[in-house]
Structure formats: structure tokens, C-alpha cells
Amino acid sequence: MDLPTLIVFDFDHTIVDDNTDLIVRNLLPDDQLTDEVQNLYLKNGWTLYMNKIFELLHKNSIGLKEIEAAIIDIPSTPGFDVLIKELHILGYEIIIISDSNSLLIDIWLKSRQLDKSISKVFTNPAHVSDDGMIKINMYHVQDFCKLSF
């Protein structure tokens, strides 16, 4: 039995022609992006920084509908949506490995009817809490390679 060929893509600046996290961050009023907030990712990593961004969005009444609209508006990198559909039709297994989060990736893929073409997405899991705030968990904690910090 032949196994399908695996194709692996990043998401931001590969499948989509922008960065989902930065698109979401840009929904915040400028006065919310203090130096303290901006420097969070240097001290605690990007995922914790984005959790703070989602917390601030929630506090500023910028909800899931606005976030979804911004994500859906991101264009694909030219030709990528067609490429993914064609690879899927040809029987390739396609996965995504990304430092974004599952919610934003899922929103975008479903908006383009590409979600069924992707076998698996390896990324930071995200969900909407009961109070409507998006929360991200780290996919993993890497503490053994000094080049990856």
C-alpha cells in the first residue's frame, strides 16, 4: 500500500499573504499597545503576548465577529488556495505547522472552503471562553535549544 506524499506548509506569509496575529493586533486602539504590552513577547514569548492582545481586545469590546471579519479579509498568497485544492485532489496529504493559533487558522480555512483539504493543523490551540474572550494555550514549551528562544 502506497502512503500519500506529505506536504507541509506554514500559514502566515505562506498560505495567507499576511500575519494573522498582526492583523488581529491592529484591531486594538494604538493607546492600548503600550511599551509594556509590546515587550511582553521578548520576555514571555509570542503566545503569551497574543493572549494579552486577546484580553485587551475583549476589554475594548472588540469581539469574535470583528476578529473573524479581519481574518476572512486576509487574501491568500497568490495561487495558494488553488494549489491546496489541486494537491488535495491529487491525493497529497497536506498539513500546516504554524505559530498562529487554531481558531484564526480555522476561520480562514473555512472561509475559503480549504478546511477539508488540510489533514491536520499543528499550532497553538485556541478557544472562545464563556465570556467571549479568545484564549490560547501553548502547543508546546521548548526549553532545550538555545537557538530557538
Side-chain angles (χ1 to χ4, degrees):
M1 180 174 147
D2 289 335
L3 295 175
T5 300
L6 179 65
I7 308 277
V8 181
F9 293 114
D10 185 24
F11 191 70
D12 293 323
H13 297 292
T14 302
I15 294 174
V16 295
D17 199 17
D18 213 324
N19 183 307
T20 51
D21 288 334
L22 298 181
I23 292 290
V24 168
R25 184 193 67 191
N26 291 340
L27 295 173
L28 275 174
D30 288 340
D31 67 335
Q32 296 293 302
L33 293 171
T34 63
D35 288 342
E36 181 181 340
V37 171
Q38 293 281 45
N39 290 325
L40 263 178
Y41 75 91
L42 295 174
K43 296 176 191 168
N44 299 311
W46 191 258
T47 304
L48 293 174
Y49 167 75
M50 284 308 298
N51 265 323
K52 183 64 172 180
I53 295 298
F54 285 119
E55 178 186 319
L56 292 169
L57 287 165
H58 185 69
K59 284 182 182 176
N60 283 274
S61 300
I62 300 167
L64 187 57
K65 288 185 187 212
E66 293 91 348
I67 293 167
E68 283 179 348
I71 295 301
I72 289 169
D73 275 350
I74 301 171
S76 67
T77 297
F80 243 90
D81 47 351
V82 174
L83 175 64
I84 289 171
K85 287 177 184 176
E86 288 296 318
L87 289 171
H88 178 70
I89 289 168
L90 292 170
Y92 291 94
E93 182 176 356
I94 306 165
I95 66 171
I96 294 171
I97 301 175
S98 173
D99 197 31
S100 181
N101 70 72
S102 60
L103 185 65
L104 301 184
I105 293 172
D106 191 50
I107 289 167
W108 192 90
L109 290 173
K110 284 182 178 176
S111 77
R112 302 297 195 286
Q113 293 82 44
L114 292 172
D115 54 312
K116 302 290 189 244
S117 299
I118 306 297
S119 301
K120 182 84 174 147
V121 177
F122 296 91
T123 191
N124 300 301
H127 69 279
V128 180
S129 65
D130 291 340
D131 66 353
M133 187 169 78
I134 297 172
K135 296 189 177 191
I136 308 170
N137 296 317
M138 294 178 105
Y139 183 75
H140 69 93
V141 176
Q142 187 288 121
D143 60 359
F144 57 89
C145 176
K146 300 300 179 201
L147 297 174
S148 297
F149 283 106

